[in-house]
Each structure stands twice: as structure tokens, then as C-alpha cells.
Amino acid sequence: MVDLLQRWEYTDHPLRRRDLADDPLEQFLRWYQEAQGSGLRYPNAMAVATATADGRPSVRMVLLRGVDERGFVFYTNLESRKGRELAENPRAALLFYWEPLERQVRIEGRVELVTSAEADAYFATRPKGSQISAWASRQSEPIDSREALERRHAEFAERFGSGPVPRPAYWGGYRVVPDAYEFWQGRPDRLHDRFRYERSADGIWVITRLQP
């Protein structure tokens, strides 16, 4: 059996109620800026959990591509497994893990599609090879071999030549509109600090300390 009993101690960086912004987006952006400065290669990497209509979950890593008061945006093939699950059950949970800072942020909320104009604008910023890959890959579907995938990529590269690559109709973006956030700070002896923001019926964010 593989030894999974490695242990380490968290450093003592307390997170107190008085440290928190009243607005969870402001708090997220504070922590995100610190994660950017921590040396992480992908501070915008996040796990996205979805579930089928009957509750079967799945999770994968994607990159956050936009965040504002409307929500958290990522882009993908809309016909992928996550796309199909979001069509059935338009809710998701996000997780950011910033190990150098011993922090996690969890976000839960409903999911909506971004506009076609937003998807077009983001797609135009992608490297051309990635744009072609969006055409070549039927994400989450079986394929016989790597060679077959590379042939498809080459065929689309030839098709588009040196011209612009349009966005496929099945490729777009999702916005997770939060109704809850959790900020987690590692502490010694596993007595971590955890604070949850939940939006009340009147739209006010209520902050609660959770046990670790």
C-alpha cells in the first residue's frame, strides 16, 4: 500500500472576522491578488463540480477567465460532460486552492451562459492552435487514438489556413452566480479558520464562522 500518512503543520496566519470585507467578491479579489503574488503558476485554476439531474457528481480543473459582480466565468465545449450536466442541473460549486498561502475559497451558485458577444470576444483572444483545437475536439467523446485527434487538428488547420478562426457554435462560456462563498485559512493543529458568506432573502451577505 502507498504510504499516505505524510504530515505537515500549517503556519499560524489567523483569519479573523474583523479582517473580512463585508462583500465576498471584494474579499475574493484581495486573496486572489495575494495568490497572484505568491509564485503560483495558475492562481486562476479552479475545480468545477457539477452533477446530473439525479445527483451524480463530477469535477474537473478549469481556468477562471473573468470575475465581476455578476459572477465567475469559464469557457468550454458546451457539449462536454460538464456542459450536459449544467444543461440538466444549472448549479455548480467552485474551489480555489492556493497552497503557498494555505488557503481555499469555495463558491456555490446557479449557472448561466455568457452572451454570444462575450464568448466571441474571449475566443478571439485565444492562440490560434487553441482555437483550432476547439473545432478538432468533441470534448468528452471517445476517439480511437491520439493520431486520429491530431489528424482532425491538422484538417481544421488546413481548412482555416492563415485566416481567422470563428468560434464554434457549441463552444461558449458559463457564469457561476454565487449565492454562497467560504474562505478557509489553514491553522496549526487543524484548527482552521472558516467563514461562510450566504446571501439572505433581502440580498444582504451574512457571515458565519464555521468549525474546521
Side-chain angles (χ1 to χ4, degrees):
M1 180 179 291
V2 176
D3 178 11
L4 299 178
L5 298 180
Q6 300 95 333
R7 299 188 188 280
W8 65 95
E9 189 54 272
Y10 289 92
T11 54
D12 196 12
H13 294 293
L15 178 63
R16 304 178 181 90
R17 172 62 183 85
R18 65 176 180 268
D19 300 326
L20 296 171
D22 292 334
D23 182 85
L25 177 58
E26 179 183 343
Q27 182 63 38
F28 174 84
L29 292 174
R30 286 181 191 173
W31 273 22
Y32 186 79
Q33 289 171 355
E34 292 180 34
Q36 283 183 308
S38 71
L40 277 167
R41 185 178 183 187
Y42 293 113
N44 60 331
M46 61 183 186
V48 177
T50 57
T52 58
D54 60 357
R56 290 178 294 170
S58 64
V59 65
R60 74 288 292 159
M61 299 298 296
V62 305
L63 296 178
L64 176 68
R65 290 307 191 188
V67 58
D68 57 23
E69 67 282 353
R70 297 172 296 168
F72 291 71
V73 173
F74 65 95
Y75 291 89
T76 189
N77 185 313
L78 305 180
E79 297 176 352
S80 64
R81 179 175 178 179
K82 58 184 167 299
R84 295 193 300 268
E85 291 177 356
L86 288 170
E88 293 180 16
N89 181 6
R91 292 193 61 81
L94 310 178
L95 172 65
F96 295 85
Y97 176 55
W98 296 317
E99 191 276 333
L101 300 174
E102 299 177 335
R103 288 174 175 172
Q104 299 179 53
V105 182
R106 299 170 61 187
I107 297 161
E108 302 160 27
R110 63 180 176 83
V111 179
E112 62 187 25
L113 285 168
V114 305
T115 65
S116 295
E118 289 174 291
D120 286 341
Y122 175 71
F123 191 79
T125 70
R126 302 186 89 204
K128 189 164 186 177
S130 297
Q131 293 176 332
I132 293 169
S133 292
W135 284 91
S137 173
R138 307 299 294 189
Q139 195 176 105
S140 304
E141 295 301 315
I143 195 166
D144 291 338
S145 65
R146 173 75 188 190
E147 291 74 20
L149 181 61
E150 291 177 350
R151 281 196 303 273
R152 283 180 56 82
H153 192 279
E155 289 165 3
F156 280 105
E158 182 177 3
R159 171 179 167 182
F160 293 115
S162 60
V165 180
R167 176 178 63 89
Y170 53 78
W171 193 97
Y174 292 102
R175 177 176 288 109
V176 180
V177 182
D179 49 43
Y181 291 73
E182 182 185 320
F183 294 87
W184 181 102
Q185 177 71 63
R187 297 291 302 278
D189 300 322
R190 301 304 195 263
L191 287 177
H192 311 306
D193 288 325
R194 296 174 60 190
F195 288 93
R196 183 172 176 86
Y197 291 70
E198 289 188 280
R199 195 187 291 276
S200 66
D202 57 3
I204 302 300
W205 289 103
V206 178
I207 305 174
T208 305
R209 178 183 277 275
L210 304 179
Q211 298 182 57

